[in-house]
Amino acid sequence: MIKTGLAFLVATLSGLIPVINIEVYLVGAVVAFDDGALVAMATAAGLGQTLGKLPYYYVGRGSLSTPWLRRRAATPGKWVLRAARWRQKAEKRPVWGMGLVALSSFASVPPFMVVSVLAGVVRMNPWWFFVITFITRTARLLIVVLAPALVLA
């Protein structure tokens, strides 16, 4: 139970602070714990990572109302047009936005921290963001812990 809680804590911190790496932490756990504990740790870490990315989502969601960005939006530039295109695409095709979140969450390409902010900017439904992130991060972390365990077995 303590190891699962610790995995959750490290994962939450790693979701907030990019230099903390939950994958390295979990790979270290592979040599110390059995598969059942690793599955519980990976699932807790998936939840922690999801909660750690939610603040980035909400920064993106609320950043459009800041005075600095309102002034920038009043003077059209390349980034304003690009953000408007992304927003239109995500609003017209929500599945496209969900797919981008899923791909980024699972493979970290494009970087998930950036995509988390973008999901907030385009006003993706926060529950969809949460569910997609939890499922794909947990799947990624299960692969991280179970693949080495299969090799070592």
Side-chain angles (χ1 to χ4, degrees):
M1 188 65 147
I2 292 174
K3 56 189 159 240
T4 303
L6 196 53
F8 172 79
L9 179 64
V10 171
T12 303
L13 290 173
S14 76
L16 291 167
I17 306 165
V19 296
I20 300 172
N21 191 313
I22 187 59
E23 287 88 350
V24 171
Y25 177 84
L26 289 174
V27 167
V30 167
V31 297
F33 303 113
D34 62 25
D35 288 353
L38 293 173
V39 168
M41 290 173 71
T43 304
L47 179 60
Q49 282 270 295
T50 301
L51 294 175
K53 292 304 179 193
L54 280 175
Y56 290 105
Y57 169 86
Y58 283 109
V59 162
R61 195 169 175 125
S63 66
L64 293 176
S65 64
T66 62
W68 177 80
L69 283 176
R70 266 189 273 146
R71 281 194 306 275
R72 284 287 284 207
T75 57
K78 191 187 318 185
W79 77 272
V80 173
L81 298 173
R82 189 175 302 153
R85 281 195 308 263
W86 278 65
R87 184 178 184 138
Q88 278 182 329
K89 194 171 191 175
E91 287 171 350
K92 286 181 184 175
R93 300 183 208 136
V95 173
W96 177 84
M98 291 180 211
L100 181 63
V101 168
L103 174 68
S104 179
S105 175
F106 184 77
S108 293
V109 176
F112 190 51
M113 185 169 57
V114 173
V115 171
S116 297
V117 173
L118 177 65
V121 169
V122 300
R123 303 255 184 231
M124 173 185 263
N125 181 307
W127 284 109
W128 278 113
F129 177 80
F130 180 88
V131 169
I132 292 167
T133 300
F134 174 68
I135 291 169
T136 53
R137 288 313 264 187
T138 300
R140 172 191 173 103
L141 296 173
L142 283 169
I143 290 169
V144 165
V145 298
L146 295 178
L150 291 173
V151 172
L152 292 174

